[in-house]
Amino acid sequence: KAGAITTASVVPAAPNGAAGWYKTAPLVTLSTGAPALGVPSADQVTQFSFDGATWTTYTGPVTVPNGSATLSYRTNGAGFTEATHALTFKTDTIAPTVSPVFVASTRTYSVTATDATSGVALTQVSVNGGGWTTYTGPTAVGTGSIALRFRATDVAGNTSATVSLNPGATVTATISPAAPNGANGWYITAPAVTLAAGTLAAGETVQYSFNGTTWSNYSSPVSLPTGLDTMQYRTSTATASAGSV
């Protein structure tokens, strides 16, 4: 008997990503020609299957899932089965993710990029608003404040959201006298603490606090009060776009 001819149309018509990948989930529409000779069209159904799984009756356009997939399709019924047709797809609609880390003790940044489908093709970093460069591994930076941005692109061509990291400048403290000048670890002259920082970013300040109380902006050497005290110090940036401590 003559058989129905089932055809498929795909939107997008061709992969719209890199390396043969679709970045937009393909939508497959199936159309069936004339039924087998002598077989009422109502007795024939068009079916599809992904990767050899269960055949499903076609009722409308089919969305191809992420990953590598083979879509098989046919029309059958009333003793007639059309030869199976097949289309293969590589689909990745999900952008990769990036997770940066900054180790303050070594002033080193690193970043991990992941992509579950086509895989990560490229990880990039931008320093202080400069152009994007390829990330090659953990990188040490100077003592000054620094603005870092990270992104990744997968094999299909999807690019992640940009993630920012804004480590403040390194702050160091010197004390005068350098060591307790009294007995049993006590100072008998009020110590003066001088704070110094690497290059500060716009809006960044050096701050200090005694015993976890209010933070004050540092401008000149600070004399410690009488008693047992803990002095903390840091940099702080209060801007909305690059707030960091």
Side-chain angles (χ1 to χ4, degrees):
K1 297 178 180 179
I5 302 297
T6 307
T7 58
S9 60
V10 183
V11 177
N16 59 349
W21 286 83
Y22 285 88
K23 293 198 303 180
T24 304
L27 193 66
V28 182
T29 300
L30 301 179
S31 301
T32 304
L37 200 60
V39 177
S41 59
D43 293 337
Q44 289 188 350
V45 294
T46 298
Q47 301 172 313
F48 68 93
S49 173
F50 279 112
D51 300 322
T54 305
W55 287 97
T56 301
T57 298
Y58 175 80
T59 57
V62 178
T63 301
V64 177
N66 274 300
S68 297
T70 298
L71 173 67
S72 300
Y73 56 95
R74 68 186 184 186
T75 296
N76 72 355
F80 164 78
T81 300
E82 181 186 7
T84 299
H85 308 279
L87 295 171
T88 59
F89 299 92
K90 295 190 300 181
T91 306
D92 184 355
T93 64
I94 303 173
T97 59
V98 288
S99 301
V101 173
F102 184 77
V103 180
S105 60
T106 59
R107 296 288 293 178
T108 300
Y109 69 80
S110 60
V111 61
T112 301
T114 57
D115 185 82
T117 310
S118 61
V120 175
L122 178 67
T123 304
Q124 295 175 301
V125 58
S126 168
V127 179
N128 291 331
W132 291 100
T133 60
T134 301
Y135 170 77
T136 57
T139 304
V141 297
T143 59
S145 184
I146 189 169
L148 302 169
R149 295 183 299 152
F150 302 90
R151 70 181 185 186
T153 303
D154 61 24
V155 173
N158 299 298
T159 299
S160 71
T162 298
V163 177
S164 297
L165 196 63
N166 298 287
T170 297
V171 185
T172 57
T174 56
I175 308 171
S176 181
N181 59 349
N184 300 305
W186 286 85
Y187 285 88
I188 56 174
T189 302
V193 179
T194 299
L195 301 179
T199 303
L200 299 175
E204 186 177 25
T205 59
V206 175
Q207 298 179 323
Y208 67 93
S209 174
F210 285 118
N211 305 315
T213 57
T214 303
W215 288 92
S216 301
N217 288 337
Y218 174 84
S219 59
S220 60
V222 179
S223 293
L224 273 70
T226 298
L228 299 174
D229 297 290
T230 297
M231 181 179 180
Q232 296 172 298
Y233 50 94
R234 70 185 187 186
T235 61
S236 177
T237 305
T239 60
S241 60
S244 65
V245 174

